[in-house]
């Protein structure tokens, strides 16, 4: 397993936060194995924003969502760039409910996915409380929020809560979108009627119409692994519409292992496995990241102060192996992380 490599374009993190936007060459322009490494440029997020999340569509257009405001209650903004980050478009506000996003802890902020025809989707943990008289505690009232770019590409439709029954957000959720109109919202929360990290499940709400509608959530994985309450997670759909999820468990409260889930049927079912073990009786507030390279989907995570990376095909989760396409040059791989919890502005 390799520890200091990553994808051709990535925001990655350890137990702290993603802070830097790294722009590197695409595979078609990457150098050969023995050529000097290309220089990596850091690009300041527009308007002093923090916690940038990015994606690149099939046309090479860069899409970014970033946070602005007070850490406990702020707003999300969207920009795009057609010149690899040299300039950005005029910011567009993502959230329709005022100050509905948060940056606290660096775990619960925005996630972005690019779907069919380059449509942008954003998810985040909502700050406000819903009107749920049956909820006995405030943490059972917060929404898992979704917004999508409108058909004209000029703004975002009104944000929506996708949770039907599995309330109890703590750590961050994730989002993935495929090229066939599938959008997948993930979060972890206790099974209804229960509490505690060991009772947390990974939930998925799925859309098959480009995010217009979502069905009720269901547990993504049938194994009772629990989920690390204050930890984040990552999701990704590859070019073949396979869906991946990376998260930290909390089995018996002390087995906080990294699990990789995989779906080859567009989210109908998932299988998974434990890929990295860590026994610790505390919430580690860690994050994970998934990205695609010419060799396949890459997974990165932090365990015991170390940052790890592996191809999904190297992990025992039953993921399909991808043969390297002939004539493609070697991609540039970058892994980046922040070593402190401070939300620095880039």
């Amino acid at each position: 397993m390799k520890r200091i490599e990553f994808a051709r374009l990535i925001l990655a993190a350890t137990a702290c936060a993603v802070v830097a936007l790294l722009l590197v060459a695409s595979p078609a322009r990457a150098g050969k194995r023995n050529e000097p490494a290309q220089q990596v440029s850091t690009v300041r997020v527009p308007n002093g924003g923090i916690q940038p999340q990015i994606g690149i569509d099939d046309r090479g257009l860069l899409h970014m969502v970033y946070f602005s405001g007070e850490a406990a209650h702020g707003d999300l903004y969207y920009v795009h760039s057609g010149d690899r980050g040299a300039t950005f478009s005029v910011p567009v506000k993502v959230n329709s409910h005022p100050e509905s996003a948060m940056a606290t802890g660096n775990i619960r902020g925005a996630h972005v996915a690019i779907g069919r025809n380059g449509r942008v989707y954003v998810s985040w943990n909502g700050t406000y409380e819903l009107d749920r008289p049956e909820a006995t505690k405030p943490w059972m009232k917060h929404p898992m929020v979704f917004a999508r770019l409108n058909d004209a590409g000029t703004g975002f439709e009104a944000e929506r809560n996708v949770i039907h029954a599995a309330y109890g957000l703590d750590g961050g959720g994730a989002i993935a979108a495929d090229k066939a109109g599938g959008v997948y919202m993930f979060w972890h929360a206790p099974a209804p009627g229960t509490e505690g990290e060991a009772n947390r499940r990974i939930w998925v709400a799925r859309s098959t119409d480009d995010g217009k509608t979502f069905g009720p959530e269901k547990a993504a994985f049938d194994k009772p692994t629990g989920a690390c309450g204050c930890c984040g997670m990552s999701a990704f759909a590859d070019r073949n519409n396979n869906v991946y999820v990376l998260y930290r468990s909390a089995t018996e409260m002390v087995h906080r292992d990294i699990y990789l889930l995989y779906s080859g049927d567009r989210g109908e079912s998932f299988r998974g496995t434990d890929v990295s073990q860590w026994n610790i009786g505390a919430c580690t507030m860690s994050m994970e990241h998934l990205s695609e390279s010419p060799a396949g989907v890459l997974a990165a995570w932090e365990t015991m102060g170390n940052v790890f990376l592996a191809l999904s095909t190297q992990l025992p989760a039953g993921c399909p192996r991808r043969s390297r396409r002939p004539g493609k040059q070697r991609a540039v791989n970058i892994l980046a992380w922040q070593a402190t919890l401070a939300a620095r502005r880039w």
Side-chain angles (χ1 to χ4, degrees), residues 32-119:
K32 297 180 180 179
R33 183 176 299 272
N34 296 325
E35 289 182 353
Q38 296 185 6
Q39 182 179 357
V40 176
S41 300
T42 57
V43 179
R44 190 172 297 276
V45 177
N47 303 311
I50 62 173
Q51 297 183 359
Q53 298 290 308
I54 61 174
I56 293 183
D57 64 24
D58 293 337
R59 301 169 296 167
L61 190 66
L62 183 150
H63 304 269
M64 178 194 294
V65 173
Y66 63 86
F67 179 90
S68 180
E70 296 296 325
H73 45 81
D75 298 308
L76 299 173
Y77 291 90
Y78 163 77
V79 293
H80 61 264
S81 173
D83 52 15
R84 309 172 71 83
T87 60
F88 289 95
S89 62
V90 175
V92 174
K93 191 175 180 180
V94 175
N95 52 302
S96 53
H97 189 288
E99 300 181 338
S100 67
M102 70 179 78
T104 306
N106 295 309
I107 297 293
R108 304 169 181 90
H111 291 265
V112 64
I114 312 300
R116 179 163 58 183
N117 300 322
R119 189 189 289 267

Side-chain angles (χ1 to χ4, degrees), residues 270-288:
F270 288 84
R271 59 179 184 266
T273 195
D274 186 335
V275 301
S276 179
Q277 293 74 50
W278 190 5
N279 290 340
I280 179 172
C283 192
T284 60
M285 207 167 188
S286 63
M287 295 177 67
E288 302 78 29

Side-chain angles (χ1 to χ4, degrees), residues 72-346:
H73 45 81
D75 298 308
L76 299 173
Y77 291 90
Y78 163 77
V79 293
H80 61 264
S81 173
D83 52 15
R84 309 172 71 83
T87 60
F88 289 95
S89 62
V90 175
V92 174
K93 191 175 180 180
V94 175
N95 52 302
S96 53
H97 189 288
E99 300 181 338
S100 67
M102 70 179 78
T104 306
N106 295 309
I107 297 293
R108 304 169 181 90
H111 291 265
V112 64
I114 312 300
R116 179 163 58 183
N117 300 322
R119 189 189 289 267
V120 179
Y121 306 98
V122 185
S123 70
W124 67 95
N125 289 35
T127 59
Y128 51 92
E129 294 184 4
L130 300 169
D131 183 14
R132 299 189 68 235
E134 70 276 21
T136 58
K137 299 179 180 180
W139 57 270
M140 299 295 292
K141 299 180 180 181
H142 292 291
M144 189 71 219
V145 186
F146 167 83
R148 68 171 193 161
L149 199 64
N150 62 25
D151 291 342
T154 57
F156 281 80
E157 297 174 354
E159 65 186 64
R160 291 175 272 158
N161 171 42
V162 299
I163 301 178
H164 285 250
Y167 285 90
L169 296 178
D170 185 358
I175 188 170
D178 64 29
K179 306 304 182 186
V183 184
Y184 310 87
M185 289 279 290
F186 295 92
W187 68 95
H188 57 81
T194 69
E195 294 185 19
E197 289 182 300
N199 290 315
R200 285 184 169 269
R201 308 290 299 273
I202 303 302
W203 302 96
V204 55
R206 187 167 64 109
S207 170
T208 57
D209 56 8
D210 300 289
K212 291 181 181 179
T213 60
F214 283 86
E217 69 269 21
K218 64 179 182 178
F221 191 32
D222 57 6
K223 185 176 179 179
T225 65
C228 181
C230 64
C231 295
M233 59 190 302
S234 183
F236 186 77
D238 68 16
R239 61 175 66 96
N240 292 322
N241 300 327
N242 301 309
V243 185
Y244 302 77
V245 183
L246 201 64
Y247 74 97
R248 187 173 296 282
S249 68
T251 310
E252 298 176 344
M253 300 294 290
V254 296
H255 303 299
R256 297 180 186 269
D257 304 344
I258 292 291
Y259 274 79
L260 176 67
L261 306 185
Y262 164 78
S263 174
D265 55 12
R266 302 189 62 212
E268 288 284 353
S269 62
F270 288 84
R271 59 179 184 266
T273 195
D274 186 335
V275 301
S276 179
Q277 293 74 50
W278 190 5
N279 290 340
I280 179 172
C283 192
T284 60
M285 207 167 188
S286 63
M287 295 177 67
E288 302 78 29
H289 195 87
L290 292 163
S291 184
E292 192 164 24
S293 77
V297 172
L298 291 158
W301 66 92
E302 179 268 344
T303 293
M304 293 186 291
N306 296 304
V307 182
F308 294 88
L309 172 118
L311 279 168
S312 62
T313 53
Q314 297 171 339
L315 300 172
C319 302
R321 293 188 176 273
R322 184 192 306 282
S323 59
R324 190 180 296 274
R325 295 182 178 181
K328 291 288 185 181
Q329 291 181 296
R330 178 174 175 265
V332 175
N333 298 316
I334 292 177
L335 174 58
W337 67 92
Q338 180 178 319
T340 66
L341 190 60
R344 299 175 184 169
R345 298 175 186 270
W346 286 68

